[in-house]
Amino acid sequence: QVQLVESGGGLVQAGGSLRLSCAASGRTFSSYSMGWFRQAPGKEREFVAAIHWTGRNTYNADSVKGRFTISRDNAKNTVYLQMNSLKLEDTAVYYCAADPSRSSDLTRVYEYDYWGQGTQVTVSS
């Protein structure tokens, strides 16, 4: 069992930055691929970014390319999402997720077995 706890959300003006953190319990964090997803009111949960368990590959949704960066620190059992140049449409609840199965497609919600409780990100004009 893995527990994930997100932090770092908040209210920010358009063009600003936030860094989300996701702390994981357990001793096998380094063997999990990790992802960030978001869900806006009335919309489905959507992929934002993912990092392979090796740390060698990262993936980003087209909507955040060039603005968001995912990274991980296995010594701290933590994955990060650095968000720059935030836009109004980035407003959502952001969730981190863990994939212990080393799936080939990390953009799919159903590939992830463990989820955090989410952190709200609100971008204002």
Side-chain angles (χ1 to χ4, degrees):
Q1 189 74 11
V2 176
Q3 291 187 327
L4 304 173
V5 179
E6 301 98 335
S7 61
L11 175 64
V12 63
Q13 285 192 324
S17 298
L18 281 176
R19 188 176 81 154
L20 304 184
S21 300
C22 174
S25 65
R27 294 176 288 179
T28 54
F29 173 78
S30 61
S31 66
Y32 296 163
S33 294
M34 300 295 295
W36 285 98
F37 290 76
R38 67 187 181 187
Q39 188 166 17
K43 294 188 177 182
E44 293 186 353
R45 192 167 298 190
E46 66 173 3
F47 169 74
V48 175
I51 185 165
H52 195 256
W53 68 273
T54 62
R56 288 198 288 264
N57 298 96
T58 62
Y59 311 88
N60 292 279
D62 288 342
S63 59
V64 306
K65 280 181 181 176
R67 300 189 298 121
F68 291 11
T69 302
I70 187 171
S71 61
R72 66 189 299 158
D73 184 339
N74 289 339
K76 296 183 178 180
N77 276 18
T78 300
V79 62
Y80 304 98
L81 185 67
Q82 178 66 45
M83 305 186 295
N84 299 328
S85 302
L86 282 160
K87 303 177 180 180
L88 296 179
E89 53 264 41
D90 294 320
T91 295
V93 178
Y94 283 71
Y95 298 90
C96 75
D99 167 35
S101 305
R102 302 183 181 180
S103 305
S104 59
D105 187 344
L106 295 175
T107 68
R108 299 177 180 174
V109 171
Y110 60 78
E111 296 288 5
Y112 294 83
D113 291 350
Y114 305 105
W115 292 83
Q117 82 290 348
T119 185
Q120 176 71 46
V121 172
T122 302
V123 184
S124 65
S125 58

